[in-house]
Structure formats: C-alpha cells, structure tokens
Amino acid sequence: MSMNSTVLAVIALSALVTVIPRILPFILVRNLRLPDAVMKWLSFVPVCILTALVIENMLMQEQSRLSIDWPVLLILLPTAIIAYKYRSLSMTVVSGVLLMAIYRNIL
Amino acid sequence: MLTDSVSRSTSLTFVQGFRDCLPTLFGYISVGIAFGIVGTASHLSILEITLLSASVYAGAAQFAICALLLAGSPLSAIVFSAFIINLRNFLLSATLAPHFTKESFLHNIGVGILMTDESFGVAATKLKQFGSLSAHWMHGLNLTAYLFWNLSCIVGAVSGQWISDPEAWGLDFALPAMFLGLLFLQLEHVPSAKWKLYATLILCMIAAMLGLSLLLPTHISVILATVIVASLGVVLDK
C-alpha cells in the first residue's frame, strides 16, 4: 500500500471539481421557481444526453483526428435489438458485453 | 440480477430505490472491474485506486486521470480534464433538482453528490412513469450504485495483478450498452404524438455530435450538442 503525494493531490482536486457541478444546481434551484420553458428544455435533456453518450462511446479521438470505433458500432446494432425487445437494462448490458467478448476473441 | 427494467412499483422508498438500481449493477460492476485493472496497469496502488473511485466517483474521468498520470501530465491539466469531463453532471443535476425542492437542504446535497449518468437515467425514467421522485428513493438508488462501484473497482485493482487487458473480456462495452439501454427506456415513455419530434431530436444529436467532435473534444461535444438540441426541442415542440 503506497500513496504518492502528487496522486493524492490529483485525487483531492479532481473530487472537488467533480462535486461542484453535481451539487450546485441543487443549491441554486431551491431558491427559485424555474419558468415553464426551462422545465420543458430540461425535459429534453435525458434523451439528448443519453444519445450523446452512446455516440461518444463509438467515436475515437486521437490528436484531434476523429474516427469511428467500428467494432463498437457493429456490436451496438444487435445490442439495440435486445434493448428494444427485452426492455431490460441488465439483459442489454450482459448480452452487449458477451457479444463484444465473443467478437474480440473469435472474430 | 436479471430483474426487469426499472420497476413500475408506485412507492418511492429507500428499498424501492435499491431495487431500481439492480438492473444497472452489471454495468457498474463491469466498468468498475475494468477501471481497477486499468488503474493497476497505470501503476496506481490499490489504496490510490480505492480513494480515486470513492472520492471522484465518475467512470470516464477516472479512466482519463489514470491515462494522464501515466503520461506524466501536470496536475493542473489532469484536474482541468476531470472538471470538463464531469461538467455534464451540471445538466443532469439541473434536470432532477427541481423535483427535490421540497426536501431538506442536506437531502438535496446527498442526492447531488452521488449523481451518475446511470442513476440519472434510472431517475429520469422513474420520473416519466411516476411523475415525482423522493430523496429516500434516490438515496437507495445512489448508495447501492456507490457501494457496488467501489467494491468492483477494488476487485478490479486486485485482479489487475493477473489480468492486464479488460477489453478482451468486453468489459469496456458495458458503458455504451448501458447508455443505449437507458435511452430505450426513456423512449418507451414518449407519447405517440411526440415520436416525430423525438426522432428529429435524436437525428440532430447524432449530426451535432459528429460535427462538433470534428472540432472539439468529445466530452465538450456532449454538453454543447445537448444544450443546442434540447433548445431546438423547445422551439419545435408546440
């Protein structure tokens, strides 16, 4: 068990800058009522950000060169069918991981 | 673990929050183990890996921190990267915060401090089904996730002495698979009158992500594309 002081500083400061965006909205929103337009805007955030996170995971950026991670895109297709058919998160994740393991070891 | 998707039960208790977390656990476990292995491969000790996952508690940022530490990046650059990668949490918290205004200040801090993409996805689905959320339910959801994330990171850190390549096990794919599953759960609750609107928004998101990522780091594209396309949603929705 060892602790490097640089690593410790990185951990402490990263934790601080991570916790601020997480709790700040909870502190701000308590003292004001948001207008309907803002609430409507927020209602679109889940679908938008989840789409963004799926796309982000199939992109590769190296030295500002953008390319598509084809294996991820390929395995996302059957995973999407499973997600649609079974409507179950665990089913979707377990089969996705299995399909990716099969792809990387056999194909 | 193979329980059904987010439960339709009508209670918002701590125990129900725990139950609603179960379908996401395999995702946390896979990515957590993968992180522990990568942490060990990046020359971090088990104690450092444990501290990192317990205090930063953010998958993507933890991987980035390991990579930057290994590359010998300066402290300021590493902390700035962690900040930018997790900035999207502001959007997640802002979306859920209006539903907790009746709860105490401490409950609000507690809910916010353990916010993750996954717990946000589950909560947003619950909100669409049930119309409201409670701090106790959210604590059940968040604490279960937090516990399993940290245990998995430790298991990964220990097994990292024998396994060096988590990708061969497909573990890294748990993340996109989880986001895709959460997206489908969200779409399940879209009323049929709004299918066209949501299809348009998803196509715009894909275009915006690809376009913005040509110019900017992808984690900044995630935030910008969401802000732009959610605004488009307000304009298009009559």
Side-chain angles (χ1 to χ4, degrees), chain B residues 1-50:
Chain B
M1 198 183 289
L2 290 169
T3 47
D4 195 4
S5 56
V6 179
S7 165
R8 272 157 227 285
S9 165
T10 49
S11 65
L12 286 170
T13 58
F14 183 89
V15 175
Q16 188 57 46
F18 161 76
R19 284 201 201 104
D20 287 336
C21 189
L22 296 180
T24 65
L25 281 189
F26 187 80
Y28 284 108
I29 293 168
S30 312
V31 180
I33 289 175
F35 172 73
I37 295 171
V38 168
T40 303
S42 312
H43 313 305
L44 293 184
S45 68
I46 293 174
L47 183 64
E48 288 166 340
I49 291 169
T50 309

Side-chain angles (χ1 to χ4, degrees), chain B residues 75-150:
Chain B
L75 175 78
S76 55
I78 302 177
V79 174
F80 185 68
S81 298
F83 174 67
I84 295 294
I85 293 172
N86 288 327
L87 200 53
R88 69 174 185 287
N89 282 312
F90 186 86
L91 279 177
L92 309 183
S93 285
T95 304
L96 294 186
H99 303 279
F100 293 95
T101 47
K102 288 196 184 78
E103 312 266 6
S104 75
F105 181 77
L106 271 182
H107 273 311
N108 271 269
I109 299 295
V111 168
I113 217 162
L114 293 183
M115 186 72 66
T116 67
D117 297 312
E118 291 84 352
S119 66
F120 167 79
V122 173
T125 304
K126 194 76 173 179
L127 192 60
K128 279 223 166 83
Q129 286 169 354
F130 195 66
S132 66
L133 296 169
S134 83
H136 284 116
W137 177 82
M138 201 71 202
H139 295 328
L141 175 73
N142 279 341
L143 287 172
T144 310
Y146 185 70
L147 180 71
F148 275 85
W149 172 253
N150 284 298

